[in-house]
Amino acid sequence: MVRSLRIGAAQLGPIARDTGRDEVVDRLVALMRQGSDAGCQLVAFPELALTTFFPRWYLDDVPEELDSYYETEMPGPQTQRLFDEAQSLGVGFYLGYAELTSDGQRYNSSVLVERDGSIVGRYRKVHLPGHEEHEPDRPFQHLERRYFEEGPDGFSVWEAFDGIIGMALCNDRRWPETYRVMALQGVEMVLIGYNTPLHYAPDPSQNPLQSFHNRLVMQAGAYQNGTWVIGVAKGGVEEGVESLAQSMIIAPSGQVVAEAETTDDELVVADCDLDWCKHYKDTLFDFNRYRRPEMYNLITQPKSEL
Ligand code: ING
């Protein structure tokens, strides 16, 4: 029996600074309903999908605004509706959000929710890009390293949707270790939400390459690990910052099988045959037969010893 999963990559257009969660959840519910109508079992939303991408601002002068961007519960009063909708439609989802834990830790997180509305897994972003201190000379900030702690849990995979599903967030997709650690756990589909400004202040020569780099890293990650990769953007011009859209669904072959056409709310749908992974995991990338971990020690050496 073919294990085919119909995926909906639910790209979001801009979310304004003063847009309330209820208005955003309305958009998420609309995309989820669209996914249900299209026969999707799983709908994937972007990173930090409930609010504007607030790390673009230095917010120390408005601590109550900064606090307002985090979820202290998942689901919480304003997101329960999304879980209820998912359960009634029988559609699962992946959702990126800013997490504030009961002991005051702050993470850039995501949850994987099965079709019965139950939370299967939670992920906390491992690779935090950007900077820690206010850099007023930048046209906009990228203060993820100020507003979040690095995820302490690493990369896990979960048995769900009749397959093995993994989660990552944005900058994680640029690091080959992200995909490999999950592939060593048998991952068949990696869900990755992202917010990627087209302008990269430390090296603007990369600006015209953002689209190329986005494809490059996710296609490589898929092919080199024999896994599906679902990249889901929050794109368009959000509070004056032009952000990459280009949500896409990538097969274990590295081929892009579906891609967003707009920079707005858009559902990108594809049927993903999870057994396609075997074509690569059991041949070219048969890790047990061909990998040489004893040759890769430098990769896990602590930075202090390099
Ligand atoms: N965003 C970016 C990303 O890795 C970034 C950081 C911005 C990289 C601009 C390159 C250019 O896609 C997040 N949120 O990680």
Side-chain angles (χ1 to χ4, degrees):
M1 189 263 287
V2 173
R3 292 183 301 140
S4 179
L5 189 52
R6 182 165 294 177
I7 284 288
Q11 174 177 290
L12 288 178
I15 297 178
R17 185 172 190 166
D18 60 1
T19 300
R21 273 182 186 63
D22 288 336
E23 191 179 329
V24 175
V25 173
D26 286 345
R27 289 167 58 183
L28 302 182
V29 167
L31 284 162
M32 186 174 283
R33 284 182 178 146
Q34 201 184 329
S36 174
D37 293 346
C40 296
Q41 287 88 37
L42 170 57
V43 169
F45 294 110
E47 170 196 39
L48 295 175
L50 296 168
T51 68
T52 195
F53 188 76
F54 62 91
R56 68 166 66 88
W57 297 300
Y58 179 67
L59 296 168
D60 281 28
D61 307 339
V62 281
E64 68 288 345
E65 178 180 347
L66 177 58
D67 291 344
S68 74
Y69 291 120
Y70 294 83
E71 309 301 316
T72 54
E73 296 173 273
M74 182 50 72
Q78 293 176 294
T79 49
Q80 184 61 53
R81 183 156 60 96
L82 182 64
F83 283 70
D84 296 342
E85 185 72 21
Q87 191 171 3
S88 67
L89 294 172
V91 175
F93 64 96
Y94 156 92
L95 178 75
Y97 68 99
E99 177 189 11
L100 174 61
T101 67
S102 50
D103 57 356
Q105 302 298 306
R106 301 179 303 176
Y107 298 108
N108 186 342
S109 301
S110 64
V111 284
L112 181 64
V113 181
E114 250 288 11
R115 290 155 287 190
D116 61 0
S118 65
I119 292 183
V120 169
R122 184 198 57 220
Y123 168 68
R124 290 162 168 169
K125 188 173 181 178
V126 166
H127 299 99
L128 294 179
H131 47 105
E132 295 82 355
E133 300 305 326
H134 189 203
E135 296 184 13
D137 294 345
R138 286 175 178 245
F140 51 88
Q141 306 296 298
H142 200 107
L143 286 164
E144 288 191 62
R145 300 181 67 82
R146 186 179 189 83
Y147 298 146
F148 302 117
E149 280 86 50
E150 292 175 329
D153 311 324
F155 301 104
S156 301
V157 298
W158 293 272
E159 287 189 14
F161 304 95
D162 197 22
I164 300 178
I165 313 294
M167 293 191 274
L169 285 159
C170 204
N171 196 253
D172 289 324
R173 76 189 187 285
R174 300 179 192 277
W175 300 88
E177 294 87 349
T178 298
Y179 306 92
R180 183 51 52 91
V181 169
M182 285 189 263
L184 288 166
Q185 300 171 74
V187 79
E188 296 172 316
M189 179 174 284
V190 180
L191 307 170
I192 313 178
Y194 58 86
N195 290 261
T196 300
L198 293 186
H199 175 64
Y200 185 58
D203 176 18
S205 77
Q206 295 180 33
N207 293 5
L209 301 173
Q210 290 301 350
S211 169
F212 164 62
H213 287 159
N214 189 48
R215 286 178 190 283
L216 178 68
V217 294
M218 293 198 289
Q219 286 183 274
Y223 165 64
Q224 291 171 333
N225 295 282
T227 178
W228 288 88
V229 172
I230 318 295
V232 192
K234 169 125 68 58
V237 182
E238 185 174 278
E239 294 294 334
V241 175
E242 191 171 7
S243 304
L244 182 70
Q246 199 182 69
S247 301
M248 60 180 75
I249 297 173
I250 301 166
S253 62
Q255 293 168 284
V256 177
V257 299
E259 184 174 335
E261 293 159 4
T262 75
T263 60
D264 266 322
D265 291 16
E266 177 182 345
L267 191 77
V268 182
V269 179
D271 286 333
C272 302
D273 172 4
L274 297 180
D275 291 323
W276 193 346
C277 298
K278 291 189 176 69
H279 288 255
Y280 291 86
K281 290 181 190 291
D282 295 353
T283 61
L284 256 179
F285 296 110
D286 176 341
F287 289 167
N288 290 329
R289 184 171 183 190
Y290 297 120
R291 264 188 84 242
R292 301 283 313 281
E294 68 278 10
M295 296 295 154
Y296 313 149
N297 291 328
L298 275 178
I299 289 180
T300 60
Q301 198 118 351
K303 288 187 273 193
S304 56
E305 292 173 17
L306 291 176

